[in-house]
Amino acid sequence: MGKPYSVLVVDDHPLLRRGICQLITSDGDFTLFGEAGTGLDALTALSDNEPDIILLDLNMKGMSGLDTLNAMRQEGVTARIVILTVSDAKQDVIRLLRAGADGYLLKDTEPELLLEQLKKAMLGHRVISEEVEAYMYELKNATDDNQWIESLTPRELQILQELAEGKSNRVISEDLHISEGTVKVHVKNLLRKANAKSRTEMAVRYLNQ
Amino acid sequence: MGKPYSVLVVDDHPLLRRGICQLITSDGDFTLFGEAGTGLDALTALSDNEPDIILLDLNMKGMSGLDTLNAMRQEGVTARIVILTVSDAKQDVIRLLRAGADGYLLKDTEPELLLEQLKKAMLGHRVISEEVEAYMYELKNATDDNQWIESLTPRELQILQELAEGKSNRVISEDLHISEGTVKVHVKNLLRKANAKSRTEMAVRYLNQ
DNA sequence: ATAACTATACTCCTAAAGGGGTATTTTTTG
DNA sequence: CAAAAAATACCCCTTTAGGAGTATAGTTAT
């Protein structure tokens, strides 16, 4: 076999980072390229040379995992980027894979399985945890369930947020200093875009992202 | 100094467990009592003898952290039980501390600080991460914002859950095979108990627990 | 610059939601 | 067993929500 794969571990939880790093170094096929506690630290670590694999957490303070991934691809980073997270939210999976992640693994993956998956990723496979694989067909069939949120104008989003706090049209109109009728127009348009039958249904869908 | 404190680590993420265990064993003041990946495993591990400290995760598969804590206290476990979790949700903090947790720490705590906190916990202090300390006054002032949910009848809760999926009174009545009028009565009573002005407000409050 | 989009504000109308009351049946509980 | 609570269903009535249409001023993109 050739030389071991180098890995950069990016996670804002020191404890988990320690566990991952220990796992990496305990296997002869991998070496630790470095570790970073924030997305910015990770980008700095990549300024000189690159590892073979970047293990990236989502839900980090400051720069999110998605932002970090985008920034890395922008910088021309060619390393395999594998997401390692607790979130199995459909929205996250779809967004990250669309953004060019080479894998999406969950943090409750068994250590041995994780190493296997990383080796597979180096062979050019896209590695996905079983639990989230179900979302893959949605990635192909496109039209993300919450794609409608992206199509909203700033004003509509503002009104949706007020609505999703349980406020009535009248209260929203007073908050925003516009007529109740205008709020109703916005709500009408929101309902059409969300393809929802009532404001409550729309609020629920919005809150569940 | 006396003999080291023994620690039981309960977490369903093998990677994180590895990180924690490594931290525990790297400090001379602690020894590893054992590790468990589920609440049930933890209870089994406690059948013969007890550690000094139990580090307990929330959000575990199967038995939740809260259930595990309750079961342990039921079994007469006297070890210091410290919650170690990612969730800083107000509801979780309040529930766990009420259930008798001796500490509530977040997983992004620095390793050194975590060890310090565990030593403090052994001295009889209740250790709380700074980020969640703000919820402490709410614990004293009692009357949990969502206490109203506890006062609901089974039928009312069922209707609230349907309502919180965005369904209309008519749809709910069809789902439950009762008249729309009856649903309206239940909703009316729910609004009174929740002290909410509209079904949307109530749905939002329910979803935010 | 002209077309498209956004935000604003009406009108008229229908449907749904919500508040008050009364009443019957069933279930639970003391 | 009797009282209380829960679930059912209806009445009448007011308020809120939502659908369709028209219109106008300002902004943005082509």
Side-chain angles (χ1 to χ4, degrees), chain B residues 64-203:
Chain B
S64 76
L66 180 59
D67 292 342
T68 307
L69 175 60
N70 282 329
M72 284 175 176
R73 291 303 187 202
Q74 191 84 32
E75 298 283 326
V77 170
T78 59
R80 310 291 293 173
I81 301 182
V82 176
I83 307 301
L84 183 65
T85 180
V86 287
S87 163
D88 62 350
K90 189 197 300 182
Q91 197 74 359
D92 283 337
V93 180
I94 291 175
R95 276 191 189 156
L96 267 295
L97 291 180
R98 277 210 183 124
D102 298 298
Y104 196 104
L105 304 175
L106 297 181
K107 280 184 178 169
D108 57 3
T109 303
E110 286 299 324
E112 299 72 29
L113 186 59
L114 176 62
L115 292 177
E116 274 180 44
Q117 298 279 47
L118 289 186
K119 287 171 194 170
K120 268 192 200 167
M122 282 312 298
L123 297 175
H125 295 108
R126 189 178 244 189
V127 290
I128 314 280
S129 276
E130 279 183 30
E131 292 92 332
V132 298
E133 215 156 336
Y135 303 147
M136 287 300 293
Y137 88 101
E138 299 200 38
L139 184 62
K140 290 169 199 149
N141 294 15
T143 60
D144 187 339
D145 241 21
N146 297 290
Q147 181 251 338
W148 61 278
I149 294 179
E150 314 299 328
S151 78
L152 303 183
T153 67
R155 196 56 153 176
E156 285 170 345
L157 184 60
Q158 191 177 14
I159 283 170
L160 175 58
Q161 286 165 343
E162 297 254 327
L163 186 154
E165 287 174 19
K167 294 178 180 173
S168 68
N169 291 337
R170 173 158 300 282
V171 170
I172 296 173
S173 76
E174 287 161 359
D175 280 3
L176 303 183
H177 308 295
I178 55 179
S179 86
E180 188 183 351
T182 301
V183 175
K184 289 179 75 171
V185 173
H186 284 304
V187 171
K188 196 195 307 180
N189 294 335
L190 281 166
L191 287 168
R192 183 174 38 75
K193 287 185 177 181
N195 194 26
K197 289 195 187 75
S198 73
R199 60 167 49 218
T200 307
E201 181 191 339
M202 186 163 60

Side-chain angles (χ1 to χ4, degrees), chain A residues 153 155 179 182 186:
Chain A
T153 67
R155 196 56 155 174
S179 85
T182 301
H186 284 304

Side-chain angles (χ1 to χ4, degrees), chain A residues 42 53 73 86 103 108 123 128 136 144 153 170:
Chain A
I53 302 176
R73 292 304 189 204
V86 288
D108 57 2
L123 298 175
I128 314 279
M136 287 303 292
D144 183 342
T153 67
R170 174 159 301 282

Side-chain angles (χ1 to χ4, degrees), chain B residues 17-79:
Chain B
R17 218 162 57 222
R18 191 180 281 230
I20 299 169
C21 292
Q22 204 228 331
L23 176 70
I24 296 291
T25 52
S26 73
D27 187 299
D29 293 338
F30 296 97
T31 60
L32 191 63
F33 176 90
E35 47 181 303
T38 68
L40 273 177
D41 287 352
L43 289 169
T44 307
L46 295 171
S47 56
D48 288 341
N49 52 346
E50 270 189 36
D52 297 309
I53 303 177
I54 299 173
L55 264 181
L56 184 60
D57 181 35
L58 301 186
N59 313 323
M60 291 187 295
K61 285 182 211 157
M63 208 172 183
S64 76
L66 180 59
D67 292 342
T68 307
L69 175 60
N70 282 329
M72 284 175 176
R73 291 303 187 202
Q74 191 84 32
E75 298 283 326
V77 170
T78 59

